[in-house]
Amino acid sequence: MSARKESSLEIKEKKSILNLIILLSCIIISGIVIRIYYLPNEVPLTLDALLFFWYANDITIINSLPLDYSPANNGWPIFLSFFFKLYNSTNFMDYMLLQRIISIVLSSLTAIPIYLLAKKFFPKKIALIGSTLFIFEPRIIQNSIGGLTEPLFILLISSSIVCF
């Protein structure tokens, strides 16, 4: 009799985990879709994003860090250069779009550590709502389509807070 209760509890727990994975996946996918909807395809990067783009492009071309110049923060361009090496195009606008898409994906993946962090303080349903509010917050969406470093920073900081 107790073995049946344990197995039914295990089945309910597995269903609960599967439902959670499906809901978080839906939140992430809808966050990506909304960001791509607002993505300015034909507008080139500007200011810091452009500096990061050219530095990552130079890393890709010469296969080492450029010695002539360096931005204040070269972690994001080094990260981007790995993707630039995998992507084959002759149009620099394609690489700018790739930079923005990487930023969008990283921003949307932040839903996972935000959910895990909220789950430590609130019930699971409220944690899902918190994760959803974070993903659909307009300033976060605007920040992620710029191709800047902030989505990677937010993802790493929220992940490190969850780990501590």
Side-chain angles (χ1 to χ4, degrees), residues 56-154:
N57 194 29
D58 288 346
I59 292 171
T60 304
I61 291 171
I62 65 174
N63 288 327
S64 67
L65 294 176
L67 300 175
D68 300 343
Y69 66 97
S70 176
N73 175 3
N74 63 355
W76 177 244
I78 291 171
F79 181 74
L80 285 176
S81 68
F82 293 121
F83 294 99
F84 285 4
K85 286 181 183 180
L86 297 174
Y87 192 70
N88 190 13
S89 177
T90 57
N91 187 0
F92 74 94
M93 288 296 288
D94 292 340
Y95 288 105
M96 287 185 178
L97 183 62
L98 177 65
Q99 179 175 344
R100 285 182 167 153
I101 289 174
I102 291 169
S103 181
I104 285 171
V105 169
L106 290 176
S107 177
S108 297
L109 286 177
T110 307
I112 298 168
I114 293 295
Y115 167 76
L116 294 173
L117 182 63
K119 191 176 80 170
K120 291 185 180 192
F121 299 104
F122 302 106
K124 291 180 181 181
K125 291 179 183 179
I126 304 292
L128 274 172
I129 293 171
S131 179
T132 305
L133 288 175
F134 181 82
I135 290 300
F136 295 121
E137 206 279 322
R139 289 174 290 239
I140 298 292
I141 292 173
Q142 184 181 13
N143 190 8
S144 68
I145 62 176
L148 292 168
T149 62
E150 282 83 9
L152 179 64
F153 175 75
I154 294 170

Side-chain angles (χ1 to χ4, degrees), residues 25-54:
S25 299
C26 289
I27 291 170
I28 291 169
I29 290 170
S30 59
I32 290 172
V33 167
I34 286 178
R35 284 164 172 77
I36 288 178
Y37 177 75
Y38 288 109
L39 182 68
N41 292 352
E42 289 118 20
V43 178
L45 297 172
T46 58
L47 302 172
D48 288 344
L50 184 63
L51 178 67
F52 293 140
F53 167 76
W54 287 119

